[in-house]
Amino acid sequence: MSKVIKIKKGLNIKLKGEPEAMLQQGFSCETFAIKPTDFPGLTPKLKIGVDEEVLAGTPLFIDKYQPEVNYCAPVSGTVVAVNRGERRRILEVVIAAKGDAYVEYPKVDPMSLDTAQVKERLLASGCWPFLRQRPYAVVANPTDVPKHIYISAFDSAPLAPDYNFVLKGKKAAFQAGVNALSKLTSGKVRICTDADAAPNETLAGLANAESYAFSGPHPKSAIGVQIHNIEPINKGDIVWYVNPQDVLSIGNLFTEGKFMTDRLVALTGAQVSAPKYAQTKLGANIDAFTKGQLLDGDNRIISGNVLTGEALLVGGFIGFYDAQVTVILEGREPEFLGWGTLGLSKWSVSRTFWSWLMPKRTYDLNTNMHGGHRPYVVTNEYEKVVPMDVLPVQLIKAILVDDIDLMEQLGIYEVAEEDLALCEVICTSKTEVQRIVRMGLDKVRKEMS
């Protein structure tokens, strides 16, 4: 039986546009991309060129500083573009899909392999980037041995996918993935589930893993919050973590002998006419999701959820670690009287509007920030939405003044952007908390390397 951990601090943002548990019919996608920008700290070095033919699992680029880690094609086809930004920085490697051919590996039970053999296959196949580490929230270093490996098997973010639906009927692949992960750690594979939702049949009775359940508001699904409430990270500790659908890809690598990046992606948000799921592959083109699916308006398309996702332009590609596309209005129009109304249809974290009398109501929110950037105001609001024993305001200030010793004392090793995303939502000063956290993590990582 799972140990239940109660999260008391946090905030659930109830938005319109929750996906129905069914698949879009006739969904297809012609182009896919891997984006080096999805991997903080990566310096990519190309291994292919435009117009080259690739199989699913063909290396596209490597990390200059970790050349053993391959970032591979999610589909077979032709490389049609290598899009670059400032200073020729590689932004996307785009593939036009054709056929269903793979780089093949022998089928094998991962429990029959030793650690070196499991690691070698993950590195060669393209599955290694699924493994990320804390501290720093970057792709795991293959030379490290993690204390534990965590799998957050649910998502409490607004309009997030239902993993009871996403993982249904895939227990064999998930178990194989867990078996492979168990070979990489000196500790345990720890699977975290949602105590407030129906039990997930795929996760019941898994071998080579221990289970924890979390109850309470978001961010109970954030890896940093889970690690902090199970076994906090101390300086020098390394833990790894993996997304649920990435565990399936790791399992299929051993049971099917292929780099299979099949994904169920939820199309969500108030501007979606019929929110539901799409069966696709990793890195799919966003146009395939939105064609004929959106309501009229000035829409913002987000790869991921509204708290931590990335805004995409037309023709963009869903992020490497994302299983959700959210569409909301931009909210460029000014509001008449604004704060001077009763606000029965407005959402607020405080009791500014009368809508607090309707706690179950869902809201059609847009990107309007209702104010501009201003001096940092200390309000003690951050602490109400961060269920960790850290001081978020002081940590942010330590990052801004570039005090690495103080960052360490205030818990920089325990946090990443998603753990403090709610601080950005409720911030009176409109401070870009997530950007600052990433800046701090990069500074500390550079200092310690």
Side-chain angles (χ1 to χ4, degrees), residues 96-238:
K98 182 180 179 182
D100 197 27
Y102 296 84
V103 176
E104 305 248 352
Y105 299 88
K107 298 178 183 179
V108 62
D109 180 359
M111 296 304 293
S112 67
L113 304 177
D114 61 27
T115 298
Q117 291 171 317
V118 171
K119 187 176 293 187
E120 180 182 3
R121 180 171 291 198
L122 292 173
L123 287 167
S125 65
C127 281
W128 191 268
F130 295 140
L131 302 171
R132 290 179 285 174
Q133 73 168 54
R134 293 292 181 93
Y136 311 130
V138 295
V139 173
N141 187 335
T143 62
D144 291 333
V145 178
K147 191 174 182 180
H148 301 289
I149 298 178
Y150 287 79
I151 303 168
S152 182
F154 71 104
D155 194 340
S156 59
L159 305 178
D162 178 4
Y163 280 98
N164 283 16
F165 176 73
V166 170
L167 299 178
K168 187 175 182 179
K170 301 172 183 175
K171 187 166 187 172
F174 199 91
Q175 178 66 75
V178 170
N179 291 344
L181 293 173
S182 70
K183 291 287 185 173
L184 302 176
T185 175
S186 59
K188 301 287 187 179
V189 175
R190 291 175 165 172
I191 301 175
C192 301
T193 61
D194 189 356
D196 300 323
N200 191 323
E201 296 179 1
T202 300
L203 306 177
L206 290 172
N208 301 311
E210 59 184 24
S211 181
Y212 293 84
F214 283 79
S215 176
H218 183 70
K220 63 181 176 181
S221 65
I223 283 290
V225 171
Q226 294 172 354
I227 294 171
H228 180 86
N229 284 276
I230 296 173
E231 187 176 347
I233 297 175
N234 296 312
K235 186 176 181 179
D237 288 345
I238 294 175

Side-chain angles (χ1 to χ4, degrees), residues 95 122 200 241 301 372:
I95 301 168
L122 292 173
N200 191 323
Y241 61 102
I301 302 171

Side-chain angles (χ1 to χ4, degrees), residues 21-309:
M22 61 183 297
L23 295 179
Q24 288 187 31
Q25 299 301 313
F27 178 88
S28 64
C29 185
E30 297 180 354
T31 55
F32 299 79
I34 298 296
K35 301 184 289 185
T37 53
D38 288 336
F39 311 101
L42 172 69
T43 302
K45 183 177 179 180
L46 283 174
K47 297 191 70 174
I48 50 82
V50 176
D51 296 330
E52 286 192 32
E53 300 289 327
V54 295
L55 305 177
T58 299
L60 301 177
F61 55 87
I62 59 174
D63 185 350
K64 179 181 178 181
Y65 300 105
Q66 290 182 343
E68 65 273 33
V69 180
N70 287 312
Y71 297 78
C72 296
V75 295
S76 60
T78 305
V79 177
V80 294
V82 177
N83 297 325
R84 296 178 182 267
E86 295 180 359
R87 299 187 178 182
R88 293 187 57 75
R89 180 189 184 195
I90 300 171
L91 302 180
E92 299 167 341
V93 180
V94 184
I95 301 168
K98 182 180 179 182
D100 197 27
Y102 296 84
V103 176
E104 305 248 352
Y105 299 88
K107 298 178 183 179
V108 62
D109 180 359
M111 296 304 293
S112 67
L113 304 177
D114 61 27
T115 298
Q117 291 171 317
V118 171
K119 187 176 293 187
E120 180 182 3
R121 180 171 291 198
L122 292 173
L123 287 167
S125 65
C127 281
W128 191 268
F130 295 140
L131 302 171
R132 290 179 285 174
Q133 73 168 54
R134 293 292 181 93
Y136 311 130
V138 295
V139 173
N141 187 335
T143 62
D144 291 333
V145 178
K147 191 174 182 180
H148 301 289
I149 298 178
Y150 287 79
I151 303 168
S152 182
F154 71 104
D155 194 340
S156 59
L159 305 178
D162 178 4
Y163 280 98
N164 283 16
F165 176 73
V166 170
L167 299 178
K168 187 175 182 179
K170 301 172 183 175
K171 187 166 187 172
F174 199 91
Q175 178 66 75
V178 170
N179 291 344
L181 293 173
S182 70
K183 291 287 185 173
L184 302 176
T185 175
S186 59
K188 301 287 187 179
V189 175
R190 291 175 165 172
I191 301 175
C192 301
T193 61
D194 189 356
D196 300 323
N200 191 323
E201 296 179 1
T202 300
L203 306 177
L206 290 172
N208 301 311
E210 59 184 24
S211 181
Y212 293 84
F214 283 79
S215 176
H218 183 70
K220 63 181 176 181
S221 65
I223 283 290
V225 171
Q226 294 172 354
I227 294 171
H228 180 86
N229 284 276
I230 296 173
E231 187 176 347
I233 297 175
N234 296 312
K235 186 176 181 179
D237 288 345
I238 294 175
V239 298
W240 292 355
Y241 61 102
V242 191
N243 288 339
Q245 295 198 76
D246 298 340
V247 176
L248 297 178
S249 293
I250 292 171
N252 285 324
L253 175 64
F254 293 91
T255 60
E256 303 297 328
K258 302 174 182 178
F259 179 52
M260 300 173 65
T261 61
D262 300 83
R263 292 287 182 274
L264 275 184
V265 178
L267 178 60
T268 69
Q271 286 301 104
V272 179
S273 56
K276 54 176 68 75
Y277 294 80
Q279 179 71 57
T280 185
K281 302 274 189 179
L282 188 153
N285 188 290
I286 202 72
D287 291 352
F289 291 92
T290 57
K291 185 178 180 180
Q293 299 291 325
L294 305 186
L295 302 177
D296 292 337
D298 184 8
N299 295 324
R300 177 175 295 190
I301 302 171
I302 302 167
S303 175
N305 62 67
V306 294
L307 300 179
T308 62

